[in-house]
Amino acid sequence: MTHWWRDAAIYQIYPRSFQDTSGDGIGDLAGVRHRLGYLRDLGVGAIWLSPIFKSPMADFGYDIADYRAIDPLFGDMDEFQRLLDDTHRHGLKLLLDFVPNHTSDEHPWFVESRSSRDNPKRDWYIWHDPAPDGGPPNNWRSNFGGSAWTWDEATGQYFYHAFLEKQPDLNWRNPQVREAMYDVLRFWLDKGVDGFRIDVIWHLAKDTRFRDNPPNPAWEPDQPEIQRFQQRYSADQPYVHEIIAELREVVDRYVDRLLIGEIYLPLDRLVTYYGESNKGLHLPFNFQLIQAPWRTEVIRELIEEYETALPEGGWPNWVLSNHDKPRIAARVGEAQARVAAMLLLTLRGTPTLYYGDELGIADVHVPHGRIKDPWAKNEPDASFNRDRARTPMQWSAEAFGGFSEIEPWLPLTDDYRTRNVDRQRGDDSSMLALHRALLALRTRFPDLREGNYCSIDAGPAVLAYRRGERIAVALNLSAESASLDLPHEFRQGEVLLRASSGESGGGIPSRLGGDEGLIILAPPSGAEGRTRS
Ligand code: NOJ
């Protein structure tokens, strides 16, 4: 059986920032629905919505107070159903964000849990007595800075939170918690959603003895506090794989649903999340392109290592940006972001695009007084202010970029009057047109979807690879031109797409310009050397 998610490109939407229809400066589900035609025409196959559930929004929806309700900011259940139905009518799939590691402290489960030590839900969260000196039980840090333990005066114990104090961690070793969460999955699967992106899945199981994490000798004081310690005992424990196998059993009762896991771990650990016999996550998110220095030799090696490390039958995936990290155009510049898009959309595996990257949105300045990200508020000097990658989508040159009628919750780019969908739609050389062309080529050429990946030595400064039988990709990851020495059959080929201009056609050059990328189609085998008219 071929799975839709092997062919589809996934498009991540940060719902607060996609399209406002209610007039409050914050995006909503009706807004997403309104833009489905855009997404279909872009050529993606699935959308993933960051959390839309009832939440006090301390971490913008990653703090859920009711897993089965839509937050009124975004709409209601009827609106959700309309969105799901329309998504399917447009031939697209819909993925939700499942946040199982923690709830909001306002979730009724936690309200009960903290009400007394003998409450039946006490053990649904992670409560611990103080250390002998009365301090926190161990040295675990919150991902957003400070101790990961908060003292509860009323019941005389600490509770654990890997993120904000308002995001207490659930105790996944408790079978009732697991059952309750599987019910949540079934609730949405029964409605017809096509799968889930699962938040911080490698955090679900913690060391049963709560041992101290060892220090990280490489830590520098200007880095986030979480990096002071290696996360040896607070995450990535063997038991997590048992949980994932159960999650998988739940979704496998439905037809062809997808589980993607958010995992920031080194490659050798990451690939274990495919599970025994690939019965774990279908796609453990591969964030290497987000994290690696943008240099030819580094990227070439990480692709090779990833391809080699994948278990047999494990399907690859690639991500360039998300709502937690600087956007690709902010990291490498706009010209090189075009090359990066070509890389993302021609590597073997499922690509995930981040909304707004198709317009080349880069870093957006967020004035101090407008900072919303709770992590940036906690650790202003050490953290990346995630607001800068979460700014509103820019649809047109109208006020507020056609995103909203009033000042949006975060600013737009300074150049939104020219950097917007309307403008780029009419320009064949735009970033948007390049994305459309790349996605169209994926549809047209099975080699780009299913073909093997094989590295080509085309010169030291060029990242080149073959996909399947007849396609080659040559990318220049720098601004300097570089010599290009492709195998014979590709020198006879035709250019399907140029990253710099979005054009096709023309012969194969012997040098590749700076910030240039080419997708090349070799002549059919046996046709090489034939005179071309
Ligand atoms: C990962 C999410 O991507 C991030 O935005 C969030 O703050 C944390 N998990 C906590 O849920």
Side-chain angles (χ1 to χ4, degrees):
M1 174 178 180
T2 51
H3 300 289
W4 62 266
W5 45 266
R6 289 170 65 121
D7 290 348
I10 298 170
Y11 184 94
Q12 181 189 354
I13 291 178
Y14 198 68
R16 290 181 77 87
S17 290
F18 202 57
Q19 175 71 69
D20 176 23
T21 60
S22 62
D24 60 359
I26 296 177
D28 44 51
L29 295 185
V32 176
R33 192 158 66 87
H34 178 65
R35 296 297 183 180
L36 287 171
Y38 166 78
L39 296 168
R40 182 202 47 216
D41 295 349
L42 180 60
V44 298
I47 55 180
W48 146 36
L49 301 176
S50 281
I52 53 173
F53 314 104
K54 187 173 167 218
S55 165
M57 301 286 164
D59 190 20
F60 297 108
Y62 285 96
D63 49 320
I64 296 174
D66 185 346
Y67 286 94
R68 297 163 193 246
I70 304 294
D71 194 276
L73 261 185
F74 298 125
D76 57 19
M77 199 56 89
D78 288 343
E79 185 53 54
F80 174 77
Q81 195 63 54
R82 280 194 288 276
L83 170 62
L84 180 60
D85 294 345
D86 273 14
T87 303
H88 288 159
R89 262 196 286 279
H90 280 78
L92 304 173
K93 306 283 186 184
L94 184 71
L95 306 173
L96 292 181
D97 210 313
F98 181 50
V99 187
N101 180 68
H102 43 267
T103 67
S104 162
D105 65 342
E106 296 178 33
H107 194 294
W109 297 341
F110 188 71
V111 173
E112 274 196 54
S113 184
R114 80 183 316 171
S115 66
S116 77
R117 282 207 193 193
D118 53 14
N119 183 279
K121 293 221 166 43
R122 184 66 169 182
D123 184 52
W124 281 41
Y125 291 83
I126 298 174
W127 292 95
H128 217 291
D129 289 333
D133 68 357
N138 65 20
N139 70 357
W140 296 1
R141 315 309 293 165
S142 154
N143 280 266
F144 294 153
S147 172
W149 297 94
T150 290
W151 176 246
D152 182 56
E153 191 61 49
T155 59
Q157 280 190 314
Y158 282 91
F159 67 88
Y160 175 70
H161 48 89
F163 294 88
L164 298 174
E165 181 182 330
K166 282 191 67 63
Q167 293 167 294
D169 278 42
L170 282 162
N171 175 15
W172 272 79
R173 293 184 192 269
N174 181 319
Q176 291 176 355
V177 169
R178 294 203 301 277
E179 261 322 304
M181 293 304 266
Y182 302 153
D183 275 351
V184 169
L185 289 182
R186 287 188 279 259
F187 175 82
W188 293 104
L189 290 165
D190 287 340
K191 288 192 182 294
V193 306
D194 300 289
F196 303 91
R197 172 268 190 190
I198 309 180
D199 193 61
V200 293
I201 194 155
W202 84 110
H203 276 263
L204 287 190
K206 293 71 160 138
D207 180 41
T208 46
R209 291 195 279 146
F210 292 92
R211 281 169 282 188
D212 274 349
N213 278 326
N216 168 12
W219 181 75
E220 305 278 346
D222 62 346
Q223 292 174 346
E225 205 196 342
I226 185 70
Q227 290 171 20
R228 256 176 76 184
F229 298 94
Q230 301 166 46
Q231 306 299 301
R232 183 173 303 163
Y233 296 115
S234 46
D236 192 31
Q237 301 300 296
Y239 181 60
V240 74
H241 297 288
E242 288 181 39
I243 302 170
I244 294 173
E246 288 184 4
L247 290 168
R248 178 67 184 267
E249 274 179 35
V250 173
V251 300
D252 276 355
R253 301 214 162 230
Y254 297 76
V255 180
D256 213 13
R257 311 296 168 98
L258 170 65
L259 289 183
I260 307 176
E262 186 204 20
I263 300 161
Y264 286 93
L265 284 175
L267 191 51
D268 58 328
R269 304 294 317 142
L270 176 71
V271 293
T272 64
Y273 283 74
Y274 283 97
E276 292 264 332
S277 317
N278 293 315
K279 282 292 183 190
L281 299 169
H282 301 99
L283 301 177
F285 256 149
N286 167 17
F287 293 130
Q288 294 184 90
L289 294 178
I290 294 192
Q291 293 167 309
W294 201 255
R295 290 206 305 274
T296 310
E297 65 285 4
V298 176
I299 305 286
R300 183 187 291 131
E301 201 168 308
L302 74 80
I303 299 169
E304 302 264 315
E305 282 178 1
Y306 181 61
E307 282 278 348
T308 311
L310 285 169
E312 201 177 327
W315 184 247
N317 76 91
W318 298 94
V319 187
L320 268 185
S321 302
N322 63 29
H323 63 293
D324 292 326
K325 305 282 178 193
R327 285 181 178 276
I328 183 66
R331 282 181 278 136
V332 302
E334 188 171 358
Q336 187 56 218
R338 298 177 68 102
V339 178
M342 189 169 268
L343 175 69
L344 174 72
L345 295 171
T346 57
L347 283 171
R348 191 174 79 94
T350 303
T352 299
L353 288 165
Y354 185 49
Y355 86 97
D357 274 7
E358 76 272 32
L359 304 178
I361 293 181
D363 205 1
V364 183
H365 174 65
V366 178
H368 192 73
R370 289 189 72 178
I371 293 179
K372 301 282 191 301
D373 176 11
W375 184 16
K377 287 183 178 171
N378 275 359
E379 290 193 280
D381 300 326
S383 87
F384 163 68
N385 175 2
R386 298 177 300 171
D387 298 335
R388 283 154 47 187
R390 299 174 174 180
T391 60
M393 183 66 175
Q394 305 180 167
W395 297 103
S396 69
E398 285 169 61
F400 310 121
F403 166 76
S404 56
E405 282 173 2
I406 65 162
E407 180 76 37
W409 74 293
L410 285 175
L412 302 147
T413 65
D414 291 339
D415 61 354
Y416 81 85
R417 287 188 191 275
T418 50
R419 186 180 301 284
N420 58 59
V421 171
D422 271 4
R423 174 67 80 95
Q424 294 200 11
R425 194 182 271 158
D427 172 1
D428 290 345
S429 67
S430 69
M431 189 70 152
L432 179 58
L434 177 70
H435 278 81
R436 281 193 179 165
L438 285 163
L439 287 159
L441 286 180
R442 284 177 64 89
T443 307
R444 185 169 146 211
F445 291 101
D447 269 358
L448 278 175
R449 303 192 306 275
E450 296 287 330
N452 286 337
Y453 169 91
C454 183
S455 166
I456 298 176
D457 181 3
V462 174
L463 176 64
Y465 46 91
R466 179 195 278 267
R467 290 299 315 284
E469 288 301 306
R470 289 180 57 203
I471 297 224
V473 180
L475 306 172
N476 187 342
L477 269 52
S478 82
E480 318 299 322
S481 82
S483 69
L484 176 67
D485 185 15
L486 286 167
H488 174 74
E489 68 270 32
F490 292 110
R491 290 205 301 268
Q492 311 281 315
E494 65 173 291
V495 174
L496 292 173
L497 191 62
R498 276 194 171 68
S500 60
S501 61
E503 289 169 347
S504 58
I508 310 303
S510 60
R511 290 192 73 78
L512 192 56
D515 298 319
E516 183 60 288
L518 302 177
I519 303 180
I520 298 162
L521 180 68
S525 54
E528 278 167 42
R530 239 187 254 157
T531 320
R532 295 162 49 111
S533 54

